[in-house]
Amino acid sequence: MSGAGLGYAPGPAAAPGANARFETWLWIAQRASAAVLALCVLVHLVTIIYAVHHGLSGAAILARTRGNVGALAFYTLYVLAIAVHAPIGLRALCQEWLGWRNSSLNWVIGALALALFVFGLRAGAAVFVG
Amino acid sequence: MNMLRVSVWRGGADGEYRNYEVPRQESQSVLDVVTYIQRNIDPTLSYRFACRVGMCGACAMTVNGVARWTCRTHVAKVAKDNAIQIAPLANLPVVKDLVTDMREFFDKWARARGRFAPGATRKDAFARVASDSPERVAANAGIECIGCGVCYASCDVVSWNPDYLGPAALNRAWTLVNDVRDTAQRERLAAVAGDAGCHACHTHLSCSERCPKNIVPTASIAGLKRAVALAAWRGEL
Amino acid sequence: MSMKNDYRARNHPAWWAFLVHRLSGLALSLFLPFHFWALGQALQGEARLDTLLRWTQQPLVKFAEAGLVLLLAAHLAGGLRLLALEFLPWRGWQKSLLAWAAGAALAAGLAFALVL
């Protein structure tokens, strides 16, 4: 049966292999970082409510946070988890809603992850080191 | 005589909705309506059906925007202001009117390795599989699929990602992943992983919402995600 | 070539849950750089941070902050629901996970709003 007039040409079979492994590890990273973030966000929400209740001036906040090594460690983990989780999520959105599917997406997402990590660490240093 | 206003898609991908008036009957199904139009008003209307009793899945179409088996859809249940709209299944090339080209649907089935790979010969003893073993229970939950395409037509990820294998193909792959006699497990897991495979599923649950056989492809795809992750972790992917 | 899936087919709870999850994730991702920048202002001394914090006392900003907390709680609750759907064996009660997630998110958002 000729395909003339049907407008259907069978697309090339998606090549598995490297793509399969890459996407699988991205999925694992996304879910693992989600589990870490579940704890971090819970702590963060409680902290926000506490902070709003107990004083939101610069002095009040920094008095609580500066030199707090435990908090610094916690927020470093938080930033790392975000730097993994957010870019992977945005990648799916870009692929599906913007049709952005070529390799340039992965580079941009990678750069975003790095930027989030660096600026997150900077913010952590600003608030917790001193 | 109460008349139902029916809007039917005519033409190929470039087409239009045309309006017909069909007498309302009691216990009338949407397939009855389509058949009435073709036999009494416009014999050029093309559509598919076979068993007309909810067993074969051939009559699947889009009714008021939702994919359904038309033989199992009562007009009374879906008519709004005494009107219904009938279109071909979404996400599949339109051949003519209400008929779609289902080749890609079945090609993806093959691409997902939705085919049993035997290892035994007639000289071997029968395989013994306990029907209450966890694998068999998992497989049984998905094997009633008859390939009607309703889930595929309902899936937004299929709309957004043309390579996505889709709920039916992945569900079938899952039933085979759980078939202890199958010998192509490694190849199958490699076939269903990736952004054309199980990882593209975002748990919209539209497939499970619409499956006329109450299969839950989302659960099968979640199973594939777990199986694939485990294989990758073990270096077996 | 083919007809697109219709908006009428999307009108069920799990689809809305997906949309809320994706849009809240997007909104939080857009907010995050600003959040990191604001906290980084503390590097220039507490007075700088104080100026910024006083700006946030405006009612409109407070309202936006409550919205952000709601988005964060919604994204978390929705995410936990997804983890349950993907990792736990399938059971019928998982459909009502959505109700629990929505309730929990709302509770968290309200807690924040009450404290304001």
mmCIF file of all heavy atoms in Angstrom, chain B residues 13 64-65 85 88 90-94 153-154 156 159 202-206 216 225-226, chain C residues 1-6 8-10 12 14-15 18 22 81-82 85-88 90 95:
data_model
loop_
_atom_site.group_PDB
_atom_site.id
_atom_site.type_symbol
_atom_site.label_atom_id
_atom_site.label_comp_id
_atom_site.label_asym_id
_atom_site.label_seq_id
_atom_site.Cartn_x
_atom_site.Cartn_y
_atom_site.Cartn_z
ATOM 1 N N ALA B 13 -6.725 15.774 7.460
ATOM 2 C CA ALA B 13 -6.209 16.686 8.486
ATOM 3 C C ALA B 13 -6.757 18.087 8.229
ATOM 4 O O ALA B 13 -7.105 18.819 9.157
ATOM 5 C CB ALA B 13 -4.693 16.687 8.452
ATOM 6 N N ASN B 64 -17.264 14.961 21.882
ATOM 7 C CA ASN B 64 -17.221 16.180 22.705
ATOM 8 C C ASN B 64 -15.841 16.365 23.330
ATOM 9 O O ASN B 64 -15.707 16.686 24.500
ATOM 10 C CB ASN B 64 -18.300 16.154 23.786
ATOM 11 C CG ASN B 64 -19.687 16.367 23.219
ATOM 12 O OD1 ASN B 64 -19.834 16.658 22.030
ATOM 13 N ND2 ASN B 64 -20.707 16.219 24.042
ATOM 14 N N GLY B 65 -14.808 16.148 22.540
ATOM 15 C CA GLY B 65 -13.440 16.396 22.963
ATOM 16 C C GLY B 65 -12.770 15.275 23.730
ATOM 17 O O GLY B 65 -11.594 15.375 24.076
ATOM 18 N N GLN B 85 -20.515 16.476 19.371
ATOM 19 C CA GLN B 85 -19.481 16.700 18.351
ATOM 20 C C GLN B 85 -18.655 15.435 18.240
ATOM 21 O O GLN B 85 -18.195 14.894 19.248
ATOM 22 C CB GLN B 85 -18.585 17.873 18.789
ATOM 23 C CG GLN B 85 -17.562 18.262 17.744
ATOM 24 C CD GLN B 85 -16.499 19.185 18.315
ATOM 25 O OE1 GLN B 85 -15.752 18.819 19.204
ATOM 26 N NE2 GLN B 85 -16.451 20.398 17.810
ATOM 27 N N PRO B 88 -12.296 12.323 14.774
ATOM 28 C CA PRO B 88 -11.431 11.146 14.866
ATOM 29 C C PRO B 88 -10.551 11.227 16.115
ATOM 30 O O PRO B 88 -10.424 12.287 16.726
ATOM 31 C CB PRO B 88 -10.578 11.233 13.593
ATOM 32 C CG PRO B 88 -10.601 12.664 13.217
ATOM 33 C CD PRO B 88 -11.922 13.199 13.669
ATOM 34 N N ALA B 90 -7.498 11.712 18.522
ATOM 35 C CA ALA B 90 -6.401 12.679 18.454
ATOM 36 C C ALA B 90 -5.057 11.948 18.382
ATOM 37 O O ALA B 90 -4.968 10.745 18.613
ATOM 38 C CB ALA B 90 -6.446 13.580 19.680
ATOM 39 N N ASN B 91 -4.023 12.679 18.095
ATOM 40 C CA ASN B 91 -2.637 12.180 18.084
ATOM 41 C C ASN B 91 -2.335 11.140 17.017
ATOM 42 O O ASN B 91 -1.275 10.521 17.043
ATOM 43 C CB ASN B 91 -2.228 11.601 19.452
ATOM 44 C CG ASN B 91 -2.235 12.641 20.547
ATOM 45 O OD1 ASN B 91 -2.086 13.829 20.281
ATOM 46 N ND2 ASN B 91 -2.423 12.204 21.773
ATOM 47 N N LEU B 92 -3.259 10.932 16.088
ATOM 48 C CA LEU B 92 -3.021 9.983 14.996
ATOM 49 C C LEU B 92 -3.365 10.656 13.680
ATOM 50 O O LEU B 92 -4.322 11.439 13.626
ATOM 51 C CB LEU B 92 -3.890 8.729 15.173
ATOM 52 C CG LEU B 92 -3.520 7.829 16.343
ATOM 53 C CD1 LEU B 92 -4.669 6.879 16.660
ATOM 54 C CD2 LEU B 92 -2.258 7.037 16.037
ATOM 55 N N PRO B 93 -2.611 10.383 12.619
ATOM 56 C CA PRO B 93 -2.920 11.013 11.323
ATOM 57 C C PRO B 93 -4.336 10.662 10.880
ATOM 58 O O PRO B 93 -4.766 9.509 11.018
ATOM 59 C CB PRO B 93 -1.889 10.420 10.367
ATOM 60 C CG PRO B 93 -0.796 9.896 11.231
ATOM 61 C CD PRO B 93 -1.441 9.504 12.519
ATOM 62 N N VAL B 94 -5.054 11.660 10.365
ATOM 63 C CA VAL B 94 -6.422 11.420 9.910
ATOM 64 C C VAL B 94 -6.388 10.935 8.462
ATOM 65 O O VAL B 94 -5.852 11.603 7.588
ATOM 66 C CB VAL B 94 -7.261 12.713 10.006
ATOM 67 C CG1 VAL B 94 -8.681 12.457 9.562
ATOM 68 C CG2 VAL B 94 -7.220 13.248 11.422
ATOM 69 N N ALA B 153 -4.630 8.481 22.423
ATOM 70 C CA ALA B 153 -5.280 9.701 21.958
ATOM 71 C C ALA B 153 -5.505 10.687 23.100
ATOM 72 O O ALA B 153 -5.622 11.891 22.879
ATOM 73 C CB ALA B 153 -6.626 9.375 21.306
ATOM 74 N N SER B 154 -5.548 10.179 24.329
ATOM 75 C CA SER B 154 -5.823 11.045 25.477
ATOM 76 C C SER B 154 -4.566 11.637 26.083
ATOM 77 O O SER B 154 -4.654 12.490 26.958
ATOM 78 C CB SER B 154 -6.566 10.249 26.566
ATOM 79 O OG SER B 154 -7.733 9.682 26.041
ATOM 80 N N ASP B 156 -1.414 13.828 26.634
ATOM 81 C CA ASP B 156 -0.838 15.101 26.207
ATOM 82 C C ASP B 156 0.645 14.988 25.886
ATOM 83 O O ASP B 156 1.155 15.730 25.054
ATOM 84 C CB ASP B 156 -1.043 16.163 27.295
ATOM 85 C CG ASP B 156 -2.420 16.761 27.222
ATOM 86 O OD1 ASP B 156 -2.738 17.357 26.170
ATOM 87 O OD2 ASP B 156 -3.178 16.626 28.198
ATOM 88 N N SER B 159 1.017 14.252 22.424
ATOM 89 C CA SER B 159 0.822 15.466 21.618
ATOM 90 C C SER B 159 2.083 16.325 21.617
ATOM 91 O O SER B 159 2.443 16.905 20.602
ATOM 92 C CB SER B 159 -0.330 16.308 22.180
ATOM 93 O OG SER B 159 -1.516 15.571 22.255
ATOM 94 N N HIS B 202 4.479 12.125 32.748
ATOM 95 C CA HIS B 202 4.386 13.065 33.872
ATOM 96 C C HIS B 202 3.156 12.826 34.732
ATOM 97 O O HIS B 202 2.681 13.727 35.417
ATOM 98 C CB HIS B 202 4.388 14.506 33.355
ATOM 99 C CG HIS B 202 5.672 14.877 32.701
ATOM 100 N ND1 HIS B 202 6.883 14.824 33.328
ATOM 101 C CD2 HIS B 202 5.935 15.279 31.436
ATOM 102 C CE1 HIS B 202 7.833 15.187 32.485
ATOM 103 N NE2 HIS B 202 7.290 15.462 31.327
ATOM 104 N N THR B 203 2.658 11.603 34.696
ATOM 105 C CA THR B 203 1.576 11.208 35.603
ATOM 106 C C THR B 203 0.354 12.108 35.474
ATOM 107 O O THR B 203 -0.289 12.456 36.468
ATOM 108 C CB THR B 203 2.088 11.189 37.071
ATOM 109 O OG1 THR B 203 3.424 10.702 37.083
ATOM 110 C CG2 THR B 203 1.260 10.263 37.936
ATOM 111 N N HIS B 204 -0.004 12.481 34.267
ATOM 112 C CA HIS B 204 -1.245 13.223 34.056
ATOM 113 C C HIS B 204 -2.451 12.348 34.398
ATOM 114 O O HIS B 204 -3.507 12.844 34.752
ATOM 115 C CB HIS B 204 -1.409 13.643 32.590
ATOM 116 C CG HIS B 204 -0.373 14.599 32.113
ATOM 117 N ND1 HIS B 204 -0.217 14.907 30.791
ATOM 118 C CD2 HIS B 204 0.557 15.335 32.757
ATOM 119 C CE1 HIS B 204 0.771 15.772 30.645
ATOM 120 N NE2 HIS B 204 1.259 16.042 31.823
ATOM 121 N N LEU B 205 -2.275 11.023 34.209
ATOM 122 C CA LEU B 205 -3.339 10.056 34.499
ATOM 123 C C LEU B 205 -4.519 10.142 33.534
ATOM 124 O O LEU B 205 -5.577 9.552 33.774
ATOM 125 C CB LEU B 205 -3.837 10.177 35.954
ATOM 126 C CG LEU B 205 -2.954 9.469 36.981
ATOM 127 C CD1 LEU B 205 -3.116 10.067 38.361
ATOM 128 C CD2 LEU B 205 -3.307 8.001 37.026
ATOM 129 N N SER B 206 -4.339 10.853 32.411
ATOM 130 C CA SER B 206 -5.437 10.910 31.427
ATOM 131 C C SER B 206 -5.697 9.531 30.835
ATOM 132 O O SER B 206 -6.844 9.153 30.604
ATOM 133 C CB SER B 206 -5.085 11.893 30.298
ATOM 134 O OG SER B 206 -5.057 13.207 30.792
ATOM 135 N N VAL B 216 -4.597 0.690 34.205
ATOM 136 C CA VAL B 216 -3.936 1.914 34.673
ATOM 137 C C VAL B 216 -2.520 1.978 34.081
ATOM 138 O O VAL B 216 -1.562 1.570 34.740
ATOM 139 C CB VAL B 216 -3.881 1.955 36.222
ATOM 140 C CG1 VAL B 216 -3.357 3.296 36.708
ATOM 141 C CG2 VAL B 216 -5.254 1.690 36.810
ATOM 142 N N LYS B 225 9.655 2.740 35.292
ATOM 143 C CA LYS B 225 10.626 3.711 35.810
ATOM 144 C C LYS B 225 11.474 3.063 36.900
ATOM 145 O O LYS B 225 12.692 3.229 36.951
ATOM 146 C CB LYS B 225 9.908 4.937 36.390
ATOM 147 C CG LYS B 225 9.289 5.861 35.352
ATOM 148 C CD LYS B 225 8.457 6.942 36.040
ATOM 149 C CE LYS B 225 7.879 7.919 35.025
ATOM 150 N NZ LYS B 225 6.911 8.853 35.639
ATOM 151 N N ARG B 226 10.810 2.324 37.794
ATOM 152 C CA ARG B 226 11.542 1.669 38.888
ATOM 153 C C ARG B 226 12.483 0.605 38.342
ATOM 154 O O ARG B 226 13.651 0.512 38.751
ATOM 155 C CB ARG B 226 10.560 1.056 39.889
ATOM 156 C CG ARG B 226 9.691 2.063 40.640
ATOM 157 C CD ARG B 226 8.978 1.397 41.817
ATOM 158 N NE ARG B 226 8.046 0.364 41.402
ATOM 159 C CZ ARG B 226 6.776 0.564 41.104
ATOM 160 N NH1 ARG B 226 6.268 1.790 41.149
ATOM 161 N NH2 ARG B 226 5.992 -0.430 40.756
ATOM 162 N N MET C 1 -1.678 17.114 10.386
ATOM 163 C CA MET C 1 -1.613 15.659 10.189
ATOM 164 C C MET C 1 -2.558 14.927 11.126
ATOM 165 O O MET C 1 -3.287 14.048 10.735
ATOM 166 C CB MET C 1 -0.178 15.166 10.449
ATOM 167 C CG MET C 1 0.547 14.845 9.178
ATOM 168 S SD MET C 1 0.989 13.143 8.984
ATOM 169 C CE MET C 1 2.035 12.799 10.339
ATOM 170 N N SER C 2 -2.485 15.303 12.439
ATOM 171 C CA SER C 2 -3.400 14.659 13.372
ATOM 172 C C SER C 2 -4.050 15.729 14.237
ATOM 173 O O SER C 2 -3.516 16.832 14.366
ATOM 174 C CB SER C 2 -2.643 13.649 14.226
ATOM 175 O OG SER C 2 -1.472 14.211 14.743
ATOM 176 N N MET C 3 -5.169 15.382 14.815
ATOM 177 C CA MET C 3 -5.844 16.340 15.674
ATOM 178 C C MET C 3 -5.153 16.377 17.036
ATOM 179 O O MET C 3 -4.721 15.357 17.545
ATOM 180 C CB MET C 3 -7.312 15.926 15.823
ATOM 181 C CG MET C 3 -8.013 15.812 14.490
ATOM 182 S SD MET C 3 -9.801 15.855 14.650
ATOM 183 C CE MET C 3 -10.095 17.579 14.490
ATOM 184 N N LYS C 4 -5.075 17.539 17.589
ATOM 185 C CA LYS C 4 -4.446 17.681 18.900
ATOM 186 C C LYS C 4 -5.437 17.273 19.975
ATOM 187 O O LYS C 4 -6.651 17.380 19.782
ATOM 188 C CB LYS C 4 -4.022 19.142 19.141
ATOM 189 C CG LYS C 4 -2.818 19.533 18.347
ATOM 190 C CD LYS C 4 -1.544 19.177 19.074
ATOM 191 C CE LYS C 4 -0.344 19.340 18.157
ATOM 192 N NZ LYS C 4 0.672 18.365 18.360
ATOM 193 N N ASN C 5 -4.890 16.850 21.112
ATOM 194 C CA ASN C 5 -5.741 16.506 22.235
ATOM 195 C C ASN C 5 -6.512 17.733 22.691
ATOM 196 O O ASN C 5 -5.976 18.825 22.762
ATOM 197 C CB ASN C 5 -4.869 15.949 23.360
ATOM 198 C CG ASN C 5 -5.694 15.183 24.365
ATOM 199 O OD1 ASN C 5 -6.872 14.930 24.160
ATOM 200 N ND2 ASN C 5 -5.073 14.827 25.463
ATOM 201 N N ASP C 6 -7.767 17.540 22.995
ATOM 202 C CA ASP C 6 -8.683 18.641 23.264
ATOM 203 C C ASP C 6 -8.640 19.077 24.728
ATOM 204 O O ASP C 6 -8.439 18.256 25.617
ATOM 205 C CB ASP C 6 -10.093 18.161 22.913
ATOM 206 C CG ASP C 6 -11.070 19.295 22.761
ATOM 207 O OD1 ASP C 6 -11.515 19.821 23.791
ATOM 208 O OD2 ASP C 6 -11.391 19.642 21.619
ATOM 209 N N ARG C 8 -11.017 19.745 26.558
ATOM 210 C CA ARG C 8 -12.106 19.121 27.318
ATOM 211 C C ARG C 8 -11.659 17.799 27.927
ATOM 212 O O ARG C 8 -12.200 17.335 28.912
ATOM 213 C CB ARG C 8 -13.319 18.892 26.415
ATOM 214 C CG ARG C 8 -14.089 20.169 26.098
ATOM 215 C CD ARG C 8 -15.126 19.948 25.027
ATOM 216 N NE ARG C 8 -14.500 19.809 23.719
ATOM 217 C CZ ARG C 8 -15.189 19.653 22.586
ATOM 218 N NH1 ARG C 8 -16.498 19.609 22.605
ATOM 219 N NH2 ARG C 8 -14.543 19.523 21.434
ATOM 220 N N ALA C 9 -10.631 17.168 27.322
ATOM 221 C CA ALA C 9 -10.141 15.898 27.843
ATOM 222 C C ALA C 9 -9.241 16.098 29.061
ATOM 223 O O ALA C 9 -8.888 15.160 29.744
ATOM 224 C CB ALA C 9 -9.380 15.152 26.749
ATOM 225 N N ARG C 10 -8.869 17.376 29.298
ATOM 226 C CA ARG C 10 -7.925 17.626 30.390
ATOM 227 C C ARG C 10 -8.622 17.977 31.693
ATOM 228 O O ARG C 10 -7.983 18.235 32.702
ATOM 229 C CB ARG C 10 -7.007 18.787 30.005
ATOM 230 C CG ARG C 10 -6.149 18.447 28.821
ATOM 231 C CD ARG C 10 -5.349 19.641 28.360
ATOM 232 N NE ARG C 10 -4.549 19.293 27.197
ATOM 233 C CZ ARG C 10 -4.177 20.133 26.249
ATOM 234 N NH1 ARG C 10 -4.537 21.394 26.336
ATOM 235 N NH2 ARG C 10 -3.457 19.725 25.231
ATOM 236 N N HIS C 12 -9.721 16.904 34.417
ATOM 237 C CA HIS C 12 -9.844 15.961 35.540
ATOM 238 C C HIS C 12 -8.744 16.274 36.554
ATOM 239 O O HIS C 12 -7.725 16.868 36.222
ATOM 240 C CB HIS C 12 -9.800 14.507 35.046
ATOM 241 C CG HIS C 12 -8.536 14.122 34.349
ATOM 242 N ND1 HIS C 12 -7.520 13.461 34.986
ATOM 243 C CD2 HIS C 12 -8.119 14.287 33.076
ATOM 244 C CE1 HIS C 12 -6.539 13.243 34.130
ATOM 245 N NE2 HIS C 12 -6.877 13.743 32.968
ATOM 246 N N ALA C 14 -6.242 14.954 38.259
ATOM 247 C CA ALA C 14 -4.814 14.663 38.137
ATOM 248 C C ALA C 14 -4.145 15.578 37.129
ATOM 249 O O ALA C 14 -2.959 15.911 37.263
ATOM 250 C CB ALA C 14 -4.593 13.203 37.733
ATOM 251 N N TRP C 15 -4.905 16.012 36.122
ATOM 252 C CA TRP C 15 -4.302 16.913 35.140
ATOM 253 C C TRP C 15 -4.059 18.292 35.753
ATOM 254 O O TRP C 15 -3.020 18.916 35.548
ATOM 255 C CB TRP C 15 -5.202 17.058 33.898
ATOM 256 C CG TRP C 15 -4.377 17.368 32.688
ATOM 257 C CD1 TRP C 15 -3.854 16.476 31.801
ATOM 258 C CD2 TRP C 15 -3.934 18.667 32.247
ATOM 259 N NE1 TRP C 15 -3.113 17.137 30.842
ATOM 260 C CE2 TRP C 15 -3.146 18.494 31.089
ATOM 261 C CE3 TRP C 15 -4.131 19.973 32.710
ATOM 262 C CZ2 TRP C 15 -2.568 19.542 30.392
ATOM 263 C CZ3 TRP C 15 -3.540 21.027 32.015
ATOM 264 C CH2 TRP C 15 -2.778 20.799 30.876
ATOM 265 N N PHE C 18 -1.000 18.181 37.810
ATOM 266 C CA PHE C 18 0.203 18.319 36.985
ATOM 267 C C PHE C 18 0.469 19.780 36.654
ATOM 268 O O PHE C 18 1.593 20.276 36.770
ATOM 269 C CB PHE C 18 0.054 17.510 35.694
ATOM 270 C CG PHE C 18 0.903 18.016 34.556
ATOM 271 C CD1 PHE C 18 2.256 17.758 34.523
ATOM 272 C CD2 PHE C 18 0.353 18.793 33.546
ATOM 273 C CE1 PHE C 18 3.059 18.246 33.492
ATOM 274 C CE2 PHE C 18 1.134 19.291 32.519
ATOM 275 C CZ PHE C 18 2.492 19.016 32.492
ATOM 276 N N ARG C 22 3.761 21.912 37.662
ATOM 277 C CA ARG C 22 4.700 22.467 36.686
ATOM 278 C C ARG C 22 4.783 23.989 36.784
ATOM 279 O O ARG C 22 5.856 24.567 36.781
ATOM 280 C CB ARG C 22 4.314 22.031 35.278
ATOM 281 C CG ARG C 22 5.263 22.585 34.222
ATOM 282 C CD ARG C 22 5.105 21.914 32.900
ATOM 283 N NE ARG C 22 5.862 20.667 32.849
ATOM 284 C CZ ARG C 22 6.107 19.985 31.726
ATOM 285 N NH1 ARG C 22 5.628 20.429 30.595
ATOM 286 N NH2 ARG C 22 6.795 18.871 31.748
ATOM 287 N N ARG C 81 3.259 13.575 46.475
ATOM 288 C CA ARG C 81 2.232 12.746 45.827
ATOM 289 C C ARG C 81 2.834 11.962 44.670
ATOM 290 O O ARG C 81 2.592 10.761 44.515
ATOM 291 C CB ARG C 81 1.095 13.636 45.338
ATOM 292 C CG ARG C 81 0.091 12.941 44.436
ATOM 293 C CD ARG C 81 -0.991 13.909 43.988
ATOM 294 N NE ARG C 81 -1.808 13.325 42.940
ATOM 295 C CZ ARG C 81 -1.586 13.512 41.629
ATOM 296 N NH1 ARG C 81 -0.599 14.273 41.230
ATOM 297 N NH2 ARG C 81 -2.369 12.935 40.730
ATOM 298 N N LEU C 82 3.653 12.628 43.834
ATOM 299 C CA LEU C 82 4.286 11.950 42.702
ATOM 300 C C LEU C 82 5.228 10.854 43.162
ATOM 301 O O LEU C 82 5.265 9.764 42.582
ATOM 302 C CB LEU C 82 5.054 12.944 41.841
ATOM 303 C CG LEU C 82 4.238 13.786 40.879
ATOM 304 C CD1 LEU C 82 5.139 14.716 40.104
ATOM 305 C CD2 LEU C 82 3.463 12.898 39.917
ATOM 306 N N LEU C 85 3.141 7.956 44.030
ATOM 307 C CA LEU C 85 2.585 7.303 42.839
ATOM 308 C C LEU C 85 3.648 6.499 42.098
ATOM 309 O O LEU C 85 3.350 5.465 41.506
ATOM 310 C CB LEU C 85 1.971 8.345 41.900
ATOM 311 C CG LEU C 85 0.636 8.949 42.336
ATOM 312 C CD1 LEU C 85 0.240 10.099 41.421
ATOM 313 C CD2 LEU C 85 -0.458 7.905 42.349
ATOM 314 N N GLU C 86 4.899 6.973 42.103
ATOM 315 C CA GLU C 86 5.931 6.305 41.319
ATOM 316 C C GLU C 86 6.612 5.178 42.073
ATOM 317 O O GLU C 86 7.079 4.220 41.465
ATOM 318 C CB GLU C 86 6.979 7.321 40.855
ATOM 319 C CG GLU C 86 6.466 8.212 39.737
ATOM 320 C CD GLU C 86 7.560 9.083 39.141
ATOM 321 O OE1 GLU C 86 8.617 9.241 39.770
ATOM 322 O OE2 GLU C 86 7.349 9.595 38.029
ATOM 323 N N PHE C 87 6.679 5.284 43.401
ATOM 324 C CA PHE C 87 7.462 4.308 44.143
ATOM 325 C C PHE C 87 6.653 3.307 44.953
ATOM 326 O O PHE C 87 7.145 2.226 45.263
ATOM 327 C CB PHE C 87 8.457 5.018 45.064
ATOM 328 C CG PHE C 87 9.629 5.593 44.317
ATOM 329 C CD1 PHE C 87 9.639 6.930 43.959
ATOM 330 C CD2 PHE C 87 10.685 4.792 43.942
ATOM 331 C CE1 PHE C 87 10.714 7.468 43.246
ATOM 332 C CE2 PHE C 87 11.766 5.314 43.234
ATOM 333 C CZ PHE C 87 11.776 6.656 42.887
ATOM 334 N N LEU C 88 5.425 3.667 45.312
ATOM 335 C CA LEU C 88 4.635 2.730 46.093
ATOM 336 C C LEU C 88 3.806 1.849 45.170
ATOM 337 O O LEU C 88 3.419 2.279 44.095
ATOM 338 C CB LEU C 88 3.715 3.501 47.054
ATOM 339 C CG LEU C 88 4.422 4.364 48.101
ATOM 340 C CD1 LEU C 88 3.394 5.078 48.958
ATOM 341 C CD2 LEU C 88 5.339 3.515 48.959
ATOM 342 N N TRP C 90 0.735 0.200 43.401
ATOM 343 C CA TRP C 90 -0.493 0.923 43.055
ATOM 344 C C TRP C 90 -1.682 0.462 43.893
ATOM 345 O O TRP C 90 -1.976 -0.706 43.993
ATOM 346 C CB TRP C 90 -0.791 0.705 41.570
ATOM 347 C CG TRP C 90 -1.928 1.557 41.120
ATOM 348 C CD1 TRP C 90 -3.243 1.204 41.028
ATOM 349 C CD2 TRP C 90 -1.858 2.929 40.749
ATOM 350 N NE1 TRP C 90 -3.990 2.274 40.606
ATOM 351 C CE2 TRP C 90 -3.161 3.348 40.423
ATOM 352 C CE3 TRP C 90 -0.810 3.854 40.657
ATOM 353 C CZ2 TRP C 90 -3.457 4.641 40.019
ATOM 354 C CZ3 TRP C 90 -1.106 5.147 40.242
ATOM 355 C CH2 TRP C 90 -2.412 5.517 39.936
ATOM 356 N N LYS C 95 -5.577 7.806 44.454
ATOM 357 C CA LYS C 95 -6.277 8.894 43.771
ATOM 358 C C LYS C 95 -6.614 9.988 44.765
ATOM 359 O O LYS C 95 -6.634 11.158 44.427
ATOM 360 C CB LYS C 95 -7.567 8.353 43.137
ATOM 361 C CG LYS C 95 -7.315 7.657 41.826
ATOM 362 C CD LYS C 95 -8.555 7.640 40.948
ATOM 363 C CE LYS C 95 -8.176 7.650 39.481
ATOM 364 N NZ LYS C 95 -9.321 7.506 38.598
#
